[in-house]
Amino acid sequence: KPYKYDSDVWSLGLTLVECLTGCFPYSTKDKTCKKQFSVWELMKCIVEQDPPGLPKDSNLPEALRDFVDRALQKEPKQRPSAASLKEHEWLEGAMRSERQ
């Protein structure tokens, strides 16, 4: 079976959330930013909780929010492919400035 990038797209979304908020996307019961989970506890959070996202009250661009929300679609079949995310409007400016 050929390799699929579904989990890589999910990981990218989690990485963006962590970089933009400064906190691990799955918080502990006391809501600290520390990673205090065992692998099994983390897996349980991923399965049972809604996917993490960016804070609603932040002033981040809507295109970035949309990109992260799409990358963090819990159901892999609903998650866009890496190729389609490459065409997302949030990356448009980065691609354009890279070509100059």
Side-chain angles (χ1 to χ4, degrees), residues 59-88:
N59 60 350
L60 296 168
E62 192 56 42
L64 170 57
R65 289 178 176 287
D66 183 65
F67 184 91
V68 170
D69 288 345
R70 288 174 189 253
L72 291 176
Q73 285 295 316
K74 202 168 193 173
E75 203 47 54
K77 291 181 181 187
Q78 294 178 353
R79 200 175 305 141
S81 67
S84 70
L85 276 179
K86 240 173 77 172
E87 303 299 321
H88 192 276

